[in-house]
Amino acid sequence: MTRRAAGQRTCPAVLIAAPASGQGKTTVTAGLARALRDAGHRVRVFKVGPDFLDPMILERASGAPVHQLDLWMCGEAQCRALLHDAAAQADVILVEGVMGLFDGKPSSADLARRFGLPLLVVVDASAMAQTFGAIVYGLATLDPSLRCIGAVANRVAGDGHAAMLRESMPAGLPLLAALPLRAQAALPDRYLGLHQPHEIADLESRLQALAGDDWRAPADDLLAVLRPSAASFEAPQPAASAALLHRRRIAVARDAAFSFIYPANLDALRALGATIEFFSPLDDDALPPADAVWLPGGYPELHARRLEDNLRMREQLRAFCAAGRPLLAECGGLMVLLERMTDASGQQFAMAGVLPGAVWMQDTVAAIASQQVELPEGTLRGHTFHHSRMSTPVQPIARGRCPAGGRTAEPVYRHGAITASYVHFYFPSNPAAVAAILGS
């Protein structure tokens, strides 16, 4: 890390992009992060867009928390603050893109352009040869304001295949790495994305395989390219912070069923003055002493039997809500507040019964979209992504709005002091609104 003007920080940084989803951005980013870390470099990793699962893997690979960078959900000021802070702590910053480079509004390309991040293009080469170079050329040259420093070929069949890919590369753009398909390094996934780290028993060996011999020399080559023109991040404007949750104790569910938690949300609660107490609805038989509860999303449907069997926790949640104390439930948290849950196999389970109604899993996506919600406490931004549907007689107090003009409009329910929705809220988008919800 080096410094330029007062308040401005520079650091070698790169955005890892692809022509589409499924090309291997996460495995490449994880392998590169682990290889750089093993070489003694301090690495900070970010993920473009709303995502919980990729950052969990990337945190294990890099050894540091992984925050989201999203120009709409987080806002430019928050993105700048996160990058500026990372530049003070890291020798190199890796940013994993989302979907294809130019997909979405805003896209990974928009973020790269806004913060001057060079591109490293990842392409699944398993079903192509010389066309590889054409794809890289298109991504590298479509927008002249973006700078591409090279490419990574993923799922390469062997040395002969790698030679064809290398020969197809446009002049001036190196093929930084040709990565073979390694079954022992593949990261398993399911309907919402990758498996969570605790579910992959041999995750460390997989990460080490991803960071193996194929990355050692390319990692050094990457740093050599990035260092002479390190990205520069301006100091953010100081954000006013009021301790609106001073001395408030917030109980946050966190275990195998409830793990979809943005690190920035926890940071926002602490900045508001709150004390956070984690608890497990799966394993604990009592809530910790708390003034408010936050039930984030996750995979409660995979642990429905254990949630049903924990009668004491269900009673605790009902008593907490009956006492009129505030509870915020998001997606999976909303699901467990209802009376019944039906899993993908058709089995039905009793849930907390704090909200009247039922929820059932389905094979297809029910909703995936960014959402902005106008609540009585203020406007909050976030996103929704779920494979379940629910019914309840409770009428919503608000509905989300999709910034891209999509039809998804997730309801937000208010039942006593409960605020519940499928929306995963990004607390820094309006800390005061979050404080009003949890501090009422």
Side-chain angles (χ1 to χ4, degrees):
M1 186 275 294
T2 58
R3 295 181 184 274
R4 286 184 180 173
Q8 193 176 60
R9 292 178 177 144
T10 62
C11 183
V14 65
L15 188 141
I16 297 164
S21 297
Q23 302 291 296
K25 294 189 301 292
T26 304
T27 54
V28 167
T29 306
L32 182 54
R34 177 55 66 91
L36 289 165
R37 178 186 173 190
D38 287 349
H41 301 291
R42 296 171 300 166
V43 185
R44 286 295 304 275
V45 183
F46 292 92
K47 170 64 181 175
V48 179
D51 192 311
F52 296 105
L53 295 164
D54 289 2
M56 293 181 192
I57 299 294
L58 298 175
E59 179 174 338
R60 289 286 292 271
S62 65
V66 175
H67 285 74
Q68 285 63 40
L69 297 177
D70 185 290
L71 288 172
W72 182 81
M73 185 179 76
C74 308
E76 181 178 345
Q78 172 76 354
C79 292
R80 180 182 295 110
L82 290 168
L83 288 166
H84 184 265
D85 180 64
Q89 305 171 28
D91 300 312
V92 60
I93 295 172
L94 307 179
V95 180
E96 184 197 338
V98 63
M99 300 184 293
L101 174 59
F102 297 101
D103 297 334
K105 296 182 179 179
S107 65
S108 297
D110 292 325
L111 187 90
R113 191 181 305 110
R114 188 70 55 89
F115 295 108
L117 299 172
L119 307 176
L120 177 63
V121 174
V122 177
V123 180
D124 179 355
S126 60
M128 68 179 72
Q130 287 81 4
T131 301
F132 179 88
I135 293 174
V136 173
Y137 178 79
L139 293 175
T141 61
L142 181 64
D143 185 343
S145 69
L146 298 174
R147 180 173 70 95
C148 181
I149 61 171
V152 172
N154 197 27
R155 305 181 182 117
V156 177
D159 292 342
H161 189 196
M164 287 188 287
L165 301 173
R166 188 168 286 105
E167 291 169 2
S168 76
M169 286 291 290
L173 286 179
L175 182 63
L176 193 72
L179 306 177
L181 177 61
R182 295 180 182 274
Q184 73 272 25
L187 297 173
D189 60 5
R190 61 163 71 92
Y191 52 90
L192 293 182
L194 296 175
H195 284 208
Q196 300 175 87
H198 71 268
E199 298 172 312
I200 308 174
D202 59 346
L203 178 58
E204 280 303 309
S205 65
R206 290 175 188 250
L207 290 173
Q208 288 305 129
L210 289 172
D213 294 337
D214 298 308
W215 262 128
R216 288 194 180 94
D220 290 338
D221 293 342
L222 177 66
L223 283 179
V225 172
L226 294 176
R227 279 175 176 144
S229 55
S232 179
F233 305 110
E234 297 178 2
Q237 293 294 323
S241 179
L244 301 175
L245 293 176
H246 180 57
R247 293 185 178 178
R248 299 282 292 184
R249 292 168 297 178
I250 312 296
V252 178
R254 187 173 69 175
D255 58 21
F258 302 91
S259 57
F260 291 0
I261 300 173
Y262 291 126
N265 282 10
L266 298 178
D267 293 343
L269 291 177
R270 294 184 179 108
L272 288 164
T275 298
I276 295 173
E277 300 287 346
F278 293 108
F279 73 101
S280 169
L282 291 175
D283 299 319
D284 296 339
D285 60 4
L287 288 170
D291 302 297
V293 169
W294 174 30
L295 296 177
Y299 285 109
E301 67 274 16
L302 301 182
H303 306 275
R305 175 66 68 192
R306 290 175 63 191
L307 290 167
E308 179 183 62
D309 289 345
N310 195 344
L311 298 175
R312 179 61 177 155
M313 178 57 70
R314 289 162 54 198
E315 292 170 356
Q316 289 268 302
L317 288 171
R318 287 195 292 268
F320 187 91
C321 295
R325 287 179 284 181
L327 184 150
L328 174 62
E330 301 176 341
C331 199
L334 162 66
M335 294 166 66
V336 301
L337 291 186
L338 294 164
E339 295 169 297
R340 298 177 306 282
M341 178 193 298
T342 303
D343 70 10
S345 69
Q347 286 189 285
Q348 193 172 102
F349 302 90
M351 292 291 107
V354 176
L355 283 175
V359 61
W360 58 95
M361 298 300 300
Q362 61 180 34
D363 293 334
T364 56
V365 174
I368 177 170
S370 296
Q371 294 282 276
Q372 177 167 300
V373 185
E374 311 288 339
L375 294 170
E377 294 83 4
T379 302
L380 277 167
R381 291 183 172 185
H383 83 288
T384 182
F385 184 18
H386 57 97
H387 279 243
S388 67
R389 294 191 180 276
M390 60 163 287
S391 65
T392 179
V394 179
Q395 294 300 303
I397 61 166
R399 287 187 178 272
R401 178 176 60 83
C402 182
R407 291 181 295 177
T408 300
E410 292 286 14
V412 179
Y413 302 99
R414 183 68 52 80
H415 188 66
I418 298 170
T419 302
S421 176
Y422 270 117
V423 179
H424 300 273
F425 293 113
Y426 187 72
F427 293 0
S429 67
N430 192 337
V434 173
I437 292 169
L438 294 175
S440 59

